[in-house]
Coordinates of all heavy atoms in Angstrom, one line a residue:
M1 N 136.8 -47.0 128.2 CA 137.7 -46.9 127.0 C 139.1 -46.4 127.4 O 140.1 -46.9 126.9 CB 137.1 -46.0 126.0 CG 137.9 -45.8 124.8 SD 136.9 -44.9 123.5 CE 138.1 -44.8 122.3
F2 N 139.1 -45.4 128.3 CA 140.4 -44.8 128.8 C 140.7 -45.4 130.1 O 139.9 -45.5 131.0 CB 140.3 -43.3 128.8 CG 139.9 -42.7 127.6 CD1 138.6 -42.2 127.3 CD2 140.9 -42.5 126.6 CE1 138.3 -41.6 126.1 CE2 140.6 -41.9 125.4 CZ 139.3 -41.5 125.1
E3 N 142.0 -45.8 130.3 CA 142.5 -46.2 131.6 C 143.9 -45.5 131.9 O 144.6 -45.3 130.9 CB 142.7 -47.7 131.6 CG 141.4 -48.5 131.6 CD 141.6 -49.9 131.9 OE1 142.6 -50.3 132.6 OE2 140.8 -50.8 131.4
R4 N 144.0 -45.2 133.1 CA 145.3 -44.6 133.5 C 146.4 -45.6 133.5 O 146.1 -46.8 133.9 CB 145.1 -44.0 134.9 CG 144.2 -42.9 135.1 CD 144.3 -42.3 136.4 NE 143.3 -41.2 136.6 CZ 143.5 -40.0 136.3 NH1 144.7 -39.6 135.7 NH2 142.6 -39.1 136.4
I5 N 147.6 -45.2 133.1 CA 148.7 -46.0 133.3 C 149.3 -45.7 134.7 O 148.7 -44.9 135.4 CB 149.7 -45.8 132.1 CG1 150.1 -44.4 131.9 CG2 149.1 -46.5 130.9 CD1 151.1 -44.2 130.8
S6 N 150.5 -46.1 134.9 CA 151.0 -45.8 136.3 C 150.8 -44.3 136.7 O 151.0 -43.5 135.9 CB 152.5 -46.2 136.4 OG 153.3 -45.3 135.5
E7 N 150.5 -44.2 137.9 CA 150.1 -42.8 138.4 C 150.7 -42.5 139.7 O 150.7 -43.3 140.6 CB 148.6 -42.8 138.5 CG 148.1 -41.4 138.8 CD 148.4 -40.4 137.7 OE1 147.8 -40.5 136.6 OE2 149.2 -39.6 138.0
T8 N 151.4 -41.4 139.8 CA 152.1 -40.9 141.0 C 151.7 -39.5 141.4 O 152.1 -39.1 142.4 CB 153.6 -41.0 140.8 OG1 154.0 -40.1 139.8 CG2 154.1 -42.4 140.6
R9 N 150.9 -38.9 140.6 CA 150.5 -37.5 141.0 C 149.6 -37.4 142.3 O 148.9 -38.4 142.5 CB 149.7 -36.8 139.8 CG 150.6 -36.6 138.6 CD 149.9 -36.0 137.6 NE 149.0 -37.0 136.9 CZ 147.9 -36.6 136.3 NH1 147.6 -35.4 136.1 NH2 147.1 -37.6 135.9
T10 N 149.6 -36.3 142.9 CA 148.8 -36.1 144.2 C 147.3 -36.2 143.9 O 146.8 -35.6 142.9 CB 149.2 -34.8 144.7 OG1 150.6 -34.7 144.9 CG2 148.5 -34.5 146.1
L11 N 146.6 -36.8 144.8 CA 145.1 -36.8 144.7 C 144.6 -35.5 145.3 O 145.1 -35.0 146.3 CB 144.6 -38.0 145.5 CG 144.7 -39.4 145.0 CD1 144.3 -40.4 146.0 CD2 143.9 -39.5 143.7
V12 N 143.6 -35.0 144.7 CA 142.8 -33.9 145.2 C 141.4 -34.3 145.2 O 141.0 -35.3 144.6 CB 142.9 -32.6 144.3 CG1 144.4 -32.1 144.3 CG2 142.4 -32.9 142.8
T13 N 140.6 -33.6 146.0 CA 139.1 -33.9 146.2 C 138.4 -32.9 145.4 O 138.6 -31.7 145.6 CB 138.7 -34.0 147.6 OG1 139.5 -35.0 148.3 CG2 137.2 -34.3 147.7
I14 N 137.5 -33.3 144.5 CA 136.6 -32.4 143.8 C 135.2 -32.9 144.1 O 135.0 -34.0 144.6 CB 136.8 -32.4 142.3 CG1 136.7 -33.8 141.6 CG2 138.2 -31.8 142.0 CD1 136.8 -33.8 140.1
Y15 N 134.2 -32.0 143.9 CA 132.8 -32.4 144.2 C 132.1 -32.4 142.9 O 132.0 -31.3 142.1 CB 132.3 -31.3 145.2 CG 132.9 -31.5 146.5 CD1 134.1 -30.7 146.7 CD2 132.5 -32.3 147.5 CE1 134.8 -30.8 147.9 CE2 133.2 -32.4 148.7 CZ 134.3 -31.7 148.9 OH 135.0 -31.8 150.1
V16 N 131.5 -33.5 142.5 CA 130.8 -33.6 141.3 C 129.3 -33.8 141.6 O 128.9 -34.7 142.3 CB 131.2 -34.8 140.5 CG1 130.4 -35.0 139.2 CG2 132.7 -34.7 140.1
D17 N 128.5 -32.8 141.3 CA 127.1 -32.8 141.7 C 127.0 -33.0 143.2 O 126.1 -33.7 143.7 CB 126.2 -33.9 140.9 CG 126.3 -33.7 139.5 OD1 126.4 -32.5 139.0 OD2 126.1 -34.7 138.7
G18 N 127.9 -32.4 143.9 CA 127.9 -32.4 145.4 C 128.5 -33.7 146.0 O 128.7 -33.8 147.2
R19 N 128.9 -34.6 145.1 CA 129.6 -35.8 145.7 C 131.0 -35.7 145.6 O 131.6 -35.4 144.6 CB 129.1 -37.0 144.7 CG 129.6 -38.4 145.2 CD 128.9 -39.5 144.4 NE 129.3 -39.4 143.0 CZ 130.1 -40.2 142.3 NH1 130.7 -41.2 143.0 NH2 130.3 -40.1 141.0
P20 N 131.7 -36.0 146.8 CA 133.2 -35.9 146.7 C 133.8 -37.0 146.0 O 133.4 -38.2 146.2 CB 133.5 -35.9 148.2 CG 132.4 -36.6 148.9 CD 131.2 -36.3 148.0
V21 N 134.8 -36.8 145.1 CA 135.5 -37.8 144.4 C 136.9 -37.4 144.3 O 137.2 -36.2 144.5 CB 134.9 -38.1 142.9 CG1 133.4 -38.5 143.0 CG2 135.0 -36.8 142.1
H22 N 137.8 -38.3 144.0 CA 139.2 -38.0 143.9 C 139.6 -37.8 142.4 O 139.1 -38.4 141.5 CB 140.1 -39.1 144.4 CG 140.0 -39.2 145.9 ND1 140.5 -38.3 146.8 CD2 139.6 -40.2 146.7 CE1 140.4 -38.6 148.0 NE2 139.7 -39.8 148.0
A23 N 140.5 -36.8 142.2 CA 141.1 -36.6 140.9 C 142.5 -36.5 141.1 O 143.0 -36.3 142.2 CB 140.4 -35.4 140.3
R24 N 143.3 -36.4 140.0 CA 144.7 -36.3 140.0 C 145.1 -34.9 139.7 O 144.6 -34.2 138.8 CB 145.5 -37.2 139.1 CG 145.3 -38.6 139.4 CD 146.2 -39.1 140.6 NE 145.9 -40.4 140.9 CZ 146.6 -41.0 141.8 NH1 147.5 -40.4 142.6 NH2 146.4 -42.3 142.1
Q25 N 146.0 -34.3 140.6 CA 146.5 -32.9 140.3 C 147.0 -32.8 138.9 O 147.7 -33.7 138.4 CB 147.6 -32.6 141.3 CG 147.9 -31.1 141.4 CD 148.8 -30.8 142.6 OE1 149.7 -31.7 142.9 NE2 148.5 -29.7 143.2
G26 N 146.5 -31.8 138.2 CA 147.0 -31.7 136.7 C 146.0 -32.2 135.8 O 146.1 -31.9 134.6
D27 N 145.0 -33.0 136.2 CA 144.0 -33.5 135.3 C 143.2 -32.3 134.9 O 142.9 -31.4 135.7 CB 143.0 -34.5 136.0 CG 143.6 -35.9 135.9 OD1 144.6 -36.1 135.3 OD2 142.9 -36.8 136.6
T28 N 142.5 -32.3 133.8 CA 141.5 -31.4 133.4 C 140.2 -31.9 134.0 O 140.1 -33.1 134.4 CB 141.3 -31.3 131.9 OG1 140.9 -32.5 131.4 CG2 142.6 -30.8 131.2
V29 N 139.3 -31.0 134.1 CA 137.9 -31.5 134.6 C 137.3 -32.6 133.8 O 136.8 -33.6 134.3 CB 137.0 -30.3 134.7 CG1 135.5 -30.7 135.0 CG2 137.5 -29.3 135.7
A30 N 137.5 -32.4 132.4 CA 136.9 -33.5 131.6 C 137.6 -34.8 131.8 O 136.9 -35.9 131.9 CB 137.1 -33.1 130.1
A31 N 138.9 -34.8 131.9 CA 139.6 -36.1 132.2 C 139.3 -36.7 133.5 O 139.0 -37.9 133.6 CB 141.2 -35.8 132.1
A32 N 139.1 -35.8 134.5 CA 138.8 -36.3 135.8 C 137.3 -36.9 135.8 O 137.2 -38.0 136.4 CB 138.8 -35.2 136.8
L33 N 136.4 -36.3 135.1 CA 135.0 -36.9 135.1 C 135.0 -38.1 134.2 O 134.3 -39.1 134.6 CB 134.0 -35.9 134.5 CG 133.8 -34.6 135.4 CD1 132.7 -33.7 134.8 CD2 133.4 -35.0 136.8
M34 N 135.8 -38.2 133.2 CA 135.8 -39.4 132.4 C 136.5 -40.5 133.1 O 136.2 -41.7 132.8 CB 136.5 -39.1 131.0 CG 135.6 -38.2 130.2 SD 136.3 -37.7 128.6 CE 137.3 -39.1 128.1
S35 N 137.3 -40.2 134.1 CA 138.0 -41.4 134.8 C 137.1 -42.0 135.8 O 137.4 -43.1 136.3 CB 139.2 -40.8 135.4 OG 139.0 -40.1 136.5
L36 N 135.9 -41.4 136.1 CA 135.0 -41.9 137.0 C 134.2 -43.0 136.4 O 133.8 -42.9 135.3 CB 134.0 -40.8 137.6 CG 134.7 -39.6 138.3 CD1 133.6 -38.6 138.6 CD2 135.4 -40.1 139.5
K37 N 133.9 -44.0 137.1 CA 133.0 -45.1 136.6 C 131.5 -44.6 136.6 O 130.8 -45.1 135.7 CB 133.1 -46.4 137.4 CG 134.5 -47.0 137.4 CD 134.9 -47.5 136.1 CE 136.3 -48.1 136.1 NZ 137.2 -47.7 135.1
S38 N 131.2 -43.7 137.4 CA 129.9 -43.2 137.5 C 130.0 -41.7 137.9 O 130.9 -41.3 138.7 CB 129.1 -43.9 138.6 OG 127.9 -43.3 138.8
P39 N 129.3 -40.7 137.4 CA 128.2 -41.0 136.4 C 128.7 -41.2 135.0 O 129.8 -40.7 134.6 CB 127.5 -39.6 136.5 CG 128.6 -38.6 136.8 CD 129.5 -39.3 137.7
Q40 N 127.9 -41.9 134.2 CA 128.3 -42.2 132.8 C 128.0 -41.0 131.9 O 128.5 -40.8 130.9 CB 127.6 -43.4 132.3 CG 128.2 -44.7 133.0 CD 129.5 -45.1 132.5 OE1 129.8 -45.0 131.3 NE2 130.4 -45.5 133.4
V41 N 126.9 -40.3 132.2 CA 126.4 -39.2 131.4 C 127.1 -38.0 131.8 O 127.0 -37.5 133.0 CB 124.9 -39.0 131.6 CG1 124.4 -37.9 130.8 CG2 124.2 -40.2 131.1
Y42 N 127.8 -37.3 130.9 CA 128.6 -36.1 131.2 C 127.7 -34.9 131.2 O 127.8 -34.1 132.0 CB 129.7 -36.0 130.1 CG 130.7 -35.0 130.5 CD1 131.9 -35.4 131.1 CD2 130.6 -33.7 130.1 CE1 132.9 -34.5 131.4 CE2 131.6 -32.8 130.3 CZ 132.7 -33.2 131.0 OH 133.7 -32.3 131.3
R43 N 126.9 -34.7 130.2 CA 125.9 -33.7 130.1 C 124.8 -34.1 129.1 O 124.9 -35.1 128.4 CB 126.5 -32.4 129.6 CG 126.9 -32.4 128.2 CD 127.5 -31.0 127.7 NE 127.8 -31.0 126.4 CZ 126.9 -30.5 125.4 NH1 125.7 -30.1 125.8 NH2 127.2 -30.6 124.1
L44 N 123.7 -33.4 129.1 CA 122.7 -33.6 128.1 C 122.6 -32.4 127.1 O 122.8 -31.3 127.5 CB 121.3 -33.8 128.8 CG 121.2 -35.0 129.8 CD1 119.8 -34.9 130.4 CD2 121.4 -36.2 129.1
S45 N 122.3 -32.8 125.9 CA 122.2 -31.7 124.8 C 121.1 -30.9 125.2 O 120.0 -31.3 125.5 CB 122.0 -32.5 123.5 OG 121.6 -31.5 122.5
Q46 N 121.3 -29.5 125.0 CA 120.2 -28.6 125.3 C 119.2 -28.6 124.2 O 118.1 -28.1 124.3 CB 120.8 -27.2 125.4 CG 121.5 -27.1 126.7 CD 122.1 -25.6 126.9 OE1 122.2 -24.9 126.0 NE2 122.3 -25.2 128.1
V47 N 119.6 -29.2 123.0 CA 118.7 -29.1 121.9 C 117.8 -30.4 121.9 O 116.5 -30.2 121.7 CB 119.6 -29.1 120.5 CG1 118.6 -29.2 119.3 CG2 120.4 -27.9 120.5
N48 N 118.3 -31.6 122.0 CA 117.4 -32.8 122.0 C 117.5 -33.6 123.2 O 116.8 -34.7 123.2 CB 117.8 -33.6 120.7 CG 119.3 -34.0 120.8 OD1 119.9 -34.1 121.9 ND2 119.8 -34.2 119.6
G49 N 118.2 -33.2 124.3 CA 118.3 -33.9 125.5 C 119.1 -35.2 125.5 O 119.0 -36.0 126.5
R50 N 119.8 -35.5 124.4 CA 120.6 -36.7 124.3 C 121.9 -36.6 125.1 O 122.5 -35.5 125.3 CB 120.9 -37.0 122.9 CG 119.8 -37.5 122.1 CD 120.2 -37.9 120.7 NE 119.1 -38.4 120.0 CZ 119.0 -38.7 118.7 NH1 120.1 -38.4 118.0 NH2 117.9 -39.2 118.2
P51 N 122.4 -37.7 125.7 CA 123.6 -37.7 126.4 C 124.8 -37.3 125.6 O 124.9 -37.7 124.4 CB 123.7 -39.1 127.0 CG 122.9 -39.9 126.2 CD 121.8 -39.1 125.6
R52 N 125.7 -36.5 126.1 CA 126.9 -36.1 125.4 C 128.2 -36.4 126.3 O 128.0 -36.5 127.6 CB 126.8 -34.6 125.1 CG 125.6 -34.1 124.5 CD 125.4 -34.8 123.1 NE 126.4 -34.6 122.1 CZ 126.4 -35.1 120.9 NH1 125.4 -36.0 120.6 NH2 127.4 -34.8 120.1
A53 N 129.4 -36.4 125.7 CA 130.5 -36.6 126.4 C 131.7 -35.8 125.8 O 131.6 -35.6 124.5 CB 130.8 -38.0 126.6
P54 N 132.8 -35.6 126.4 CA 133.9 -34.9 125.8 C 134.4 -35.7 124.5 O 134.3 -36.9 124.6 CB 135.0 -34.9 126.9 CG 134.3 -35.0 128.1 CD 133.0 -35.8 127.8
Y55 N 134.8 -35.0 123.5 CA 135.2 -35.6 122.3 C 136.6 -35.3 121.9 O 137.4 -36.1 121.7 CB 134.2 -35.3 121.2 CG 134.5 -35.9 119.9 CD1 134.4 -37.2 119.7 CD2 134.9 -35.1 118.8 CE1 134.7 -37.8 118.4 CE2 135.2 -35.6 117.6 CZ 135.1 -37.0 117.4 OH 135.3 -37.5 116.2
C56 N 136.9 -33.9 121.7 CA 138.2 -33.6 121.2 C 139.3 -33.4 122.3 O 140.5 -33.6 122.0 CB 138.0 -32.3 120.4 SG 137.8 -30.8 121.4
M57 N 138.9 -33.0 123.4 CA 139.8 -32.7 124.5 C 140.8 -31.6 124.3 O 141.8 -31.5 124.9 CB 140.6 -34.0 125.0 CG 139.6 -35.1 125.4 SD 138.6 -34.7 126.9 CE 139.8 -35.1 128.2
I58 N 140.5 -30.8 123.3 CA 141.4 -29.6 123.0 C 140.7 -28.3 122.8 O 141.2 -27.4 122.1 CB 142.2 -30.0 121.7 CG1 141.4 -30.3 120.5 CG2 143.3 -31.1 122.0 CD1 142.3 -30.4 119.2
G59 N 139.4 -28.3 123.2 CA 138.7 -27.0 123.2 C 138.0 -26.6 122.0 O 137.6 -25.5 121.8
H60 N 137.7 -27.6 121.1 CA 137.1 -27.3 119.8 C 135.6 -27.7 119.7 O 134.8 -27.0 119.2 CB 137.8 -27.9 118.7 CG 139.1 -27.3 118.3 ND1 139.3 -26.6 117.2 CD2 140.3 -27.4 119.0 CE1 140.5 -26.1 117.2 NE2 141.2 -26.6 118.2
C61 N 135.2 -28.8 120.3 CA 133.9 -29.4 120.0 C 132.9 -28.8 121.0 O 131.7 -28.9 120.7 CB 133.9 -30.8 120.1 SG 134.1 -31.6 121.7
H62 N 133.2 -28.3 122.2 CA 132.3 -27.9 123.2 C 131.4 -29.0 123.7 O 130.3 -28.7 124.2 CB 131.5 -26.7 122.7 CG 132.3 -25.5 122.6 ND1 133.2 -25.3 121.5 CD2 132.4 -24.3 123.3 CE1 133.8 -24.1 121.6 NE2 133.3 -23.6 122.7
E63 N 131.7 -30.2 123.6 CA 130.9 -31.3 124.1 C 131.1 -31.5 125.7 O 130.5 -32.3 126.3 CB 131.2 -32.6 123.4 CG 130.8 -32.6 122.0 CD 129.3 -32.6 121.8 OE1 128.6 -32.5 122.7 OE2 128.9 -32.5 120.6
C64 N 132.1 -30.8 126.2 CA 132.5 -31.0 127.6 C 132.0 -29.9 128.5 O 132.5 -29.8 129.6 CB 134.1 -31.1 127.7 SG 134.8 -29.5 127.1
L65 N 130.9 -29.2 128.2 CA 130.5 -28.1 129.0 C 129.9 -28.5 130.3 O 129.2 -29.5 130.4 CB 129.5 -27.3 128.2 CG 129.9 -26.7 126.9 CD1 128.7 -25.9 126.2 CD2 131.0 -25.8 127.1
V66 N 130.5 -27.9 131.3 CA 129.9 -28.2 132.7 C 129.9 -26.9 133.5 O 130.4 -25.9 133.0 CB 130.9 -29.2 133.5 CG1 130.8 -30.6 132.9 CG2 132.3 -28.7 133.4
E67 N 129.3 -26.9 134.6 CA 129.3 -25.8 135.5 C 130.4 -26.0 136.5 O 130.6 -27.1 137.1 CB 128.0 -25.7 136.3 CG 127.9 -24.6 137.2 CD 126.6 -24.6 138.0 OE1 125.6 -24.5 137.4 OE2 126.7 -24.6 139.3
I68 N 131.3 -25.0 136.5 CA 132.5 -25.0 137.5 C 132.4 -23.9 138.4 O 132.4 -22.7 137.9 CB 133.8 -25.1 136.7 CG1 133.9 -26.3 135.7 CG2 135.0 -25.0 137.6 CD1 135.1 -26.2 134.8
E69 N 132.4 -24.1 139.7 CA 132.3 -23.1 140.7 C 131.2 -22.0 140.4 O 131.3 -20.8 140.4 CB 133.7 -22.3 140.8 CG 134.8 -23.2 141.2 CD 134.7 -23.7 142.7 OE1 133.7 -23.4 143.3 OE2 135.6 -24.6 143.0
G70 N 130.0 -22.6 139.9 CA 128.8 -21.8 139.7 C 128.8 -21.1 138.3 O 127.8 -20.4 138.0
Q71 N 129.9 -21.3 137.6 CA 129.9 -20.7 136.2 C 129.5 -21.7 135.2 O 130.2 -22.7 135.0 CB 131.3 -20.2 135.9 CG 131.7 -19.0 136.7 CD 131.1 -17.8 136.3 OE1 130.9 -17.5 135.1 NE2 130.8 -16.9 137.3
A72 N 128.4 -21.6 134.5 CA 127.8 -22.5 133.6 C 128.6 -22.5 132.2 O 129.3 -21.5 132.0 CB 126.4 -22.3 133.2
N73 N 128.6 -23.5 131.5 CA 129.2 -23.6 130.1 C 130.7 -23.5 130.1 O 131.2 -22.8 129.2 CB 128.5 -22.6 129.2 CG 127.0 -22.9 129.0 OD1 126.6 -24.0 128.9 ND2 126.2 -21.8 129.1
Q74 N 131.4 -24.0 131.0 CA 132.8 -24.0 131.1 C 133.4 -25.2 130.3 O 132.8 -26.3 130.5 CB 133.3 -24.0 132.5 CG 132.8 -22.8 133.3 CD 133.4 -21.5 132.8 OE1 134.5 -21.3 132.6 NE2 132.4 -20.7 132.5
Q75 N 134.3 -25.0 129.6 CA 134.9 -26.2 128.8 C 135.7 -27.0 129.8 O 136.9 -26.6 130.1 CB 135.7 -25.7 127.6 CG 134.8 -25.2 126.5 CD 135.7 -24.6 125.4 OE1 136.1 -23.5 125.4 NE2 135.9 -25.4 124.4
G76 N 135.2 -28.2 130.1 CA 136.0 -29.0 131.1 C 137.3 -29.5 130.7 O 138.2 -29.8 131.5
C77 N 137.5 -29.6 129.3 CA 138.8 -30.1 128.8 C 139.8 -29.0 128.9 O 141.0 -29.3 128.7 CB 138.7 -30.5 127.4 SG 138.4 -29.3 126.2
L78 N 139.5 -27.8 129.3 CA 140.5 -26.7 129.3 C 140.8 -26.2 130.7 O 141.6 -25.3 130.9 CB 140.1 -25.5 128.4 CG 139.8 -25.8 126.9 CD1 139.4 -24.5 126.2 CD2 141.1 -26.4 126.3
V79 N 140.2 -26.8 131.7 CA 140.3 -26.3 133.1 C 140.8 -27.4 133.9 O 140.3 -28.5 133.9 CB 138.8 -25.8 133.6 CG1 139.0 -25.4 135.1 CG2 138.2 -24.8 132.8
E80 N 141.9 -27.1 134.6 CA 142.5 -28.0 135.5 C 141.8 -28.1 136.8 O 141.3 -27.1 137.3 CB 144.0 -27.7 135.8 CG 145.0 -28.1 134.8 CD 146.4 -27.9 135.3 OE1 146.7 -27.9 136.5 OE2 147.3 -27.8 134.4
V81 N 141.7 -29.4 137.3 CA 141.0 -29.5 138.6 C 141.8 -28.8 139.7 O 143.0 -28.6 139.5 CB 140.8 -30.9 139.0 CG1 139.9 -31.7 138.1 CG2 142.1 -31.7 139.1
A82 N 141.1 -28.5 140.8 CA 141.8 -27.9 142.0 C 141.1 -28.5 143.2 O 139.9 -28.8 143.1 CB 141.6 -26.4 142.0
D83 N 141.8 -28.7 144.3 CA 141.3 -29.3 145.4 C 140.1 -28.5 145.9 O 140.1 -27.2 146.0 CB 142.4 -29.3 146.5 CG 142.0 -30.2 147.6 OD1 141.4 -31.3 147.3 OD2 142.2 -29.9 148.8
G84 N 139.0 -29.1 146.1 CA 137.8 -28.5 146.6 C 136.9 -27.9 145.6 O 135.8 -27.4 145.8
M85 N 137.3 -28.1 144.3 CA 136.5 -27.5 143.1 C 135.1 -28.2 143.1 O 135.0 -29.4 143.3 CB 137.3 -27.8 141.8 CG 136.6 -27.3 140.7 SD 137.5 -27.6 139.1 CE 138.6 -26.1 139.1
R86 N 134.1 -27.4 142.8 CA 132.7 -27.8 142.7 C 132.3 -27.8 141.2 O 132.3 -26.7 140.6 CB 131.8 -27.0 143.6 CG 132.2 -27.1 145.0 CD 131.2 -26.5 146.0 NE 131.7 -26.7 147.4 CZ 131.5 -27.9 148.0 NH1 130.8 -28.8 147.5 NH2 132.0 -28.0 149.2
I87 N 131.9 -29.0 140.8 CA 131.5 -29.1 139.4 C 130.1 -29.7 139.3 O 129.8 -30.6 140.1 CB 132.5 -30.1 138.7 CG1 133.9 -29.6 138.8 CG2 132.1 -30.4 137.3 CD1 135.0 -30.6 138.7
R88 N 129.3 -29.2 138.4 CA 128.0 -29.8 138.2 C 127.8 -30.1 136.8 O 128.2 -29.3 135.9 CB 126.9 -28.7 138.6 CG 126.9 -28.4 140.1 CD 125.7 -27.6 140.5 NE 124.5 -28.4 140.5 CZ 124.2 -29.4 141.5 NH1 124.9 -29.5 142.5 NH2 123.1 -30.1 141.4
R89 N 127.3 -31.3 136.5 CA 127.0 -31.7 135.2 C 125.8 -30.9 134.7 O 124.9 -30.5 135.5 CB 126.7 -33.2 135.1 CG 127.9 -34.0 135.4 CD 127.5 -35.5 135.4 NE 126.5 -35.8 136.4 CZ 125.6 -36.7 136.3 NH1 125.5 -37.5 135.2 NH2 124.7 -36.9 137.2
Q90 N 125.7 -30.6 133.4 CA 124.6 -29.8 132.9 C 123.6 -30.7 132.3 O 123.7 -31.2 131.2 CB 125.2 -28.7 131.9 CG 126.1 -27.7 132.5 CD 126.5 -26.6 131.6 OE1 127.1 -25.6 132.1 NE2 126.2 -26.6 130.3
L91 N 122.7 -31.0 133.1 CA 121.7 -32.0 132.7 C 120.3 -31.4 132.4 O 119.4 -32.1 132.0 CB 121.5 -33.1 133.9 CG 122.7 -33.8 134.2 CD1 122.5 -34.8 135.4 CD2 123.3 -34.5 133.0
G92 N 120.2 -30.1 132.4 CA 119.0 -29.4 132.1 C 118.8 -29.4 130.6 O 119.7 -29.4 129.8
R93 N 117.6 -29.3 130.2 CA 117.3 -29.2 128.7 C 116.5 -27.9 128.5 O 115.5 -27.6 129.1 CB 116.4 -30.4 128.3 CG 116.1 -30.3 126.8 CD 115.4 -31.5 126.3 NE 115.0 -31.3 124.9 CZ 114.2 -32.1 124.3 NH1 113.7 -33.2 124.9 NH2 113.9 -31.9 123.0
A94 N 117.1 -27.1 127.6 CA 116.5 -25.8 127.2 C 115.1 -26.1 126.5 O 115.0 -27.1 125.8 CB 117.4 -25.0 126.4
E95 N 114.2 -25.2 126.7 CA 112.9 -25.3 126.0 C 113.2 -24.6 124.7 O 113.6 -23.4 124.6 CB 111.8 -24.6 126.8 CG 111.4 -25.3 128.0 CD 110.9 -26.8 127.8 OE1 110.2 -27.0 126.8 OE2 111.3 -27.7 128.6
V96 N 113.1 -25.3 123.6 CA 113.4 -24.7 122.3 C 112.1 -24.5 121.5 O 111.4 -25.5 121.3 CB 114.3 -25.7 121.5 CG1 114.7 -25.1 120.1 CG2 115.6 -25.9 122.3
E97 N 111.9 -23.3 121.0 CA 110.7 -23.0 120.3 C 111.1 -23.4 118.8 O 112.1 -23.1 118.3 CB 110.4 -21.5 120.3 CG 109.9 -21.0 121.7 CD 108.6 -21.5 122.0 OE1 107.7 -21.6 121.0 OE2 108.3 -21.7 123.2
I98 N 110.2 -24.1 118.2 CA 110.4 -24.5 116.7 C 109.3 -23.8 115.9 O 108.2 -23.8 116.2 CB 110.3 -26.0 116.6 CG1 111.5 -26.7 117.4 CG2 110.5 -26.4 115.2 CD1 111.5 -28.1 117.4
Ligands
LIG1 S1 136.1 -31.9 124.7 FE1 135.9 -30.8 122.9 S2 135.9 -28.7 123.6 FE2 136.2 -29.9 125.4

């Protein structure tokens, strides 16, 4: 759905689930992950296990939660990528007592 227009910013390398990928300096983590063709699933809902993806890109919806440098539940749309940054998608599902 989203495509970059002309791009001249410097490339940085980030690690997504341990895999090195390129991002553009100044991108947010959410934008960088959404620009990848794979993985398609950004995170899984802790409540029902359904796939989720960034929605608002301004810090309101919390659909962009990822682990950044070992810190879980970081809002990917509010954090700029940095060279060497390690990001993990949150694919675990919490056990919910009903
Ligand atoms: S995309 Fe909505 S809070 Fe990050």
Side-chain angles (χ1 to χ4, degrees):
M1 179 173 177
F2 299 103
E3 288 191 29
R4 291 185 186 278
I5 52 178
S6 67
E7 187 58 74
T8 57
R9 291 177 293 157
T10 305
L11 284 173
V12 296
T13 301
I14 59 175
Y15 296 87
V16 178
D17 298 333
R19 181 172 61 107
V21 296
H22 289 295
R24 294 286 178 179
Q25 196 168 36
D27 275 355
T28 64
V29 169
L33 294 184
M34 287 173 40
S35 72
L36 301 174
K37 299 292 183 227
S38 172
Q40 291 288 318
V41 176
Y42 192 94
R43 71 177 184 93
L44 296 178
S45 167
Q46 292 183 334
V47 176
N48 58 23
R50 290 187 173 166
R52 310 299 299 176
Y55 181 67
C56 72
M57 300 298 279
I58 57 172
H60 286 256
C61 71
H62 291 75
E63 295 292 1
C64 60
L65 298 179
V66 289
E67 181 183 302
I68 300 172
E69 300 292 359
Q71 294 284 320
N73 299 320
Q74 301 298 302
Q75 288 176 276
C77 70
L78 300 181
V79 178
E80 277 191 23
V81 296
D83 195 39
M85 179 180 272
R86 296 191 178 276
I87 300 156
R88 296 191 70 80
R89 293 177 299 149
Q90 297 189 170
L91 302 177
R93 181 175 174 186
E95 295 298 323
V96 178
E97 295 287 327
I98 298 177

